[in-house]
């Protein structure tokens, strides 16, 4: 019987498996390229993260039937279906919760007009460990070629790299150009991969600043609508969104005086009071009741140039709070 001819995406997946499997076996590394299934017919935006961060290994992956290894190798069908544990609706996964703070990306994700993958296919606990993998630079070069090949197959209108210093700075063929910036923090950058224009934004492992969300969303939507027809320059974006960019800059440079006694006086009717935090000047803490049996641990920092207030569970991380979904909903408005 004549062998069935592989599709372009199957050829793409097979190349990854042939390249990655020996490295994974030698260094006992888990690997996969796609988080979501490959949306072959409807990827308007290709979303590219850095690398898987679950610190898995080849041995456990090979033995896990959900990864569909045959004779020590992942099948191309499994690779194209993405991470078997990928769950867009997992509210404990702050990645998508934060990503959807950007209205344009929220709409793309909810309309399922995206594919989400990583540019570096091997799993580590963090970016520093990723850089320590033997043959790191050679793997990055393979990944860049692989990413360019996928873009040519699915033809997204926009490719977004999640991560600036650990993302686009590493894989761009040219010096990365900053388009949007707040202080020293870059929020939208431009680079190329095999002459394909790609854009970098901060990784959504952390919240996007409130003053950044709307300007970034508007710029991404403008690029999405116009870039397929022509190249958009930094100057055009700045001219088009001058007012929004000015607001973003102002939001990152707010200066005001804080009187802790006056704050406590306003809050006393709620039995809420800030006190010195470990004797540190200008840093205060307060504990208050949360939802159910939970306690919220607040920090108020008025010593730095940018004053801020933050809170978490008094016993663990914010995302371990039982009422986190309600809190996030209220914050998002």
């Amino acid at each position: 019987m004549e062998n069935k001819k592989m599709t372009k995406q199957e050829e793409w997946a097979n190349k990854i498996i042939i390249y990655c499997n020996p490295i994974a076996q030698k260094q006992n590394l888990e690997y996969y390229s796609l988080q979501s299934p490959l949306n072959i017919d409807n990827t308007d935006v290709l979303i590219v993260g850095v690398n898987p961060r679950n610190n898995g290994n080849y041995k456990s992956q090979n033995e896990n039937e959900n990864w569909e290894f045959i004779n020590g190798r992942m099948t191309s069908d499994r690779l194209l279906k993405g991470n078997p544990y990928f769950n867009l609706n997992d509210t404990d996964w702050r990645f998508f919760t934060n990503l959807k703070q950007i209205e344009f990306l929220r709409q793309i994700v909810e309309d399922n007009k995206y594919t989400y993958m990583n540019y570096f296919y091997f799993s580590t606990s963090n970016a520093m460990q990723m850089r320590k993998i033997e043959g790191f630079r050679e793997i990055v070069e393979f990944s860049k070629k692989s990413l360019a090949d996928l873009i040519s197959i699915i033809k997204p209108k926009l490719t977004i790299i999640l991560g600036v210093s650990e993302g686009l700075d590493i894989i761009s063929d040219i010096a990365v150009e900053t388009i949007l910036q707040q202080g020293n923090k870059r929020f939208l950058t431009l680079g190329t991969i095999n002459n394909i224009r790609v854009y970098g934004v901060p990784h959504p492992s952390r919240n996007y600043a409130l003053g950044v969300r709307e300007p970034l969303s508007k710029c991404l939507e403008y690029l999405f609508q116009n870039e397929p027809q022509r190249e958009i320059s930094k100057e055009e974006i700045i001219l088009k969104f001058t007012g929004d960019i000015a607001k973003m800059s102002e939001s990152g440079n707010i200066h005001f005086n804080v009187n802790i006694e006056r704050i406590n006086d306003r809050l006393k009717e709620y039995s809420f009071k800030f006190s010195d935090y470990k004797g540190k000047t200008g840093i205060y803490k307060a504990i208050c009741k949360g939802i159910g049996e939970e306690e919220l641990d607040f920090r108020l920092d008025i010593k730095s140039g940018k004053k801020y207030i933050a809170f978490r569970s008094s016993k663990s991380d914010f995302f371990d709070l039982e009422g986190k979904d309600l809190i996030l909903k209220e914050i998002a408005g």
Side-chain angles (χ1 to χ4, degrees):
M1 181 181 291
E2 185 177 340
N3 289 333
K4 180 183 174 183
K5 182 176 173 59
M6 284 194 293
T7 63
K8 288 182 179 180
Q9 60 267 28
E10 287 171 336
E11 290 178 353
W12 175 80
N14 203 42
K15 287 179 182 177
I16 291 173
I17 294 165
I18 291 171
Y19 180 83
C20 290
N21 215 73
I23 297 173
Q25 287 179 311
K26 180 181 178 182
Q27 301 189 48
N28 194 27
L29 299 169
E30 179 184 77
Y31 75 93
Y32 53 97
S33 53
L34 293 162
Q35 291 282 3
S36 70
L38 180 61
N39 192 350
I40 188 67
D41 297 318
N42 200 25
T43 295
D44 280 352
V45 177
L46 179 59
I47 301 172
V48 186
V50 179
N51 76 313
R53 293 289 170 88
N54 57 2
N55 203 28
N57 59 70
Y58 171 81
K59 185 178 184 297
S60 60
Q61 188 181 29
N62 180 36
E63 295 172 352
N64 185 337
E65 62 181 16
N66 291 326
W67 281 107
E68 301 175 27
F69 273 57
I70 297 177
N71 297 325
R73 281 178 42 151
M74 188 187 302
T75 64
S76 59
D77 182 58
R78 173 69 269 168
L79 188 140
L80 291 170
K81 288 188 294 187
N83 178 358
Y85 301 100
F86 177 80
N87 180 3
L88 177 61
N89 298 313
D90 183 357
T91 55
D92 288 328
W93 194 13
R94 71 183 70 183
F95 174 93
F96 269 107
T97 301
N98 291 351
L99 190 72
K100 289 190 284 187
Q101 292 171 348
I102 308 303
E103 176 61 25
F104 168 72
L105 294 178
R106 182 193 67 78
Q107 196 63 56
I108 288 292
V109 168
E110 293 185 354
D111 290 346
N112 194 32
K113 293 185 176 180
Y114 75 101
T115 291
Y116 169 42
M117 65 178 296
N118 297 108
Y119 78 76
F120 192 89
Y121 304 148
F122 297 99
S123 174
T124 60
S125 58
N126 54 52
M128 185 178 297
Q129 293 302 315
M130 178 184 77
R131 289 173 177 269
K132 293 179 179 179
I133 288 178
E134 182 182 336
F136 170 74
R137 285 309 323 174
E138 292 79 7
I139 295 171
V140 168
E141 290 305 311
F142 171 83
S143 302
K144 288 167 58 176
K145 174 65 167 58
S146 178
L147 177 56
D149 289 344
L150 182 62
I151 292 172
S152 71
I153 293 171
I154 63 176
K155 296 178 172 54
K157 295 178 182 177
L158 192 64
T159 298
I160 298 174
I161 312 297
L162 302 177
V164 180
S165 61
E166 295 297 339
L168 189 54
D169 284 2
I170 291 178
I171 62 174
S172 176
D173 294 330
I174 63 171
V176 169
E177 181 179 16
T178 299
I179 299 174
L180 290 183
Q181 187 168 346
Q182 185 188 67
N184 293 324
K185 189 164 186 179
R186 298 173 293 164
F187 283 96
L188 181 62
T189 58
L190 167 65
T192 65
I193 298 173
N194 198 27
N195 294 318
I196 301 168
R197 288 162 68 92
V198 294
Y199 292 87
V201 301
H203 196 279
S205 55
R206 294 180 180 273
N207 284 321
Y208 291 100
L210 288 172
V212 168
R213 297 174 190 180
E214 185 176 353
L216 181 54
S217 179
K218 286 183 177 180
C219 289
L220 290 174
E221 185 173 10
Y222 186 74
L223 291 167
F224 174 77
Q225 292 172 343
N226 294 279
E227 186 96 319
Q229 291 78 40
R230 60 188 177 85
E231 292 186 355
I232 307 299
S233 67
K234 173 182 178 179
E235 290 71 27
E236 180 177 343
I237 292 176
I238 291 174
L239 185 63
K240 177 76 175 175
F241 299 106
T242 299
D244 297 287
I245 294 170
K247 289 179 184 177
M248 185 182 79
S249 299
E250 290 168 5
S251 73
N253 293 281
I254 299 173
H255 298 281
F256 55 91
N257 294 319
V258 177
N259 186 313
I260 196 67
E261 289 79 14
R262 187 177 179 184
I263 290 174
N264 280 334
D265 185 60
R266 293 283 187 90
L267 293 173
K268 64 182 179 182
E269 64 179 291
Y270 303 103
S271 301
F272 189 99
K273 182 179 180 180
F274 282 102
S275 57
D276 290 343
Y277 176 64
K278 295 183 178 180
K280 295 183 178 180
T281 303
I283 303 179
Y284 302 90
K285 72 171 292 183
I287 300 290
C288 76
K289 190 176 185 307
I291 297 173
E293 299 300 316
E294 293 174 337
E295 286 185 338
L296 299 181
D297 182 357
F298 283 81
R299 293 283 191 280
L300 175 62
D301 184 343
I302 63 173
K303 70 178 179 59
S304 58
K306 297 178 184 178
K307 283 69 173 171
Y308 71 88
I309 187 170
F311 70 93
R312 55 177 288 171
S313 164
S314 63
K315 298 178 181 177
S316 58
D317 186 82
F318 169 81
F319 282 85
D320 292 328
L321 284 170
E322 181 181 334
K324 68 179 182 303
D325 294 335
L326 177 61
I327 294 169
L328 287 170
K329 183 178 180 181
E330 291 299 315
I331 291 172

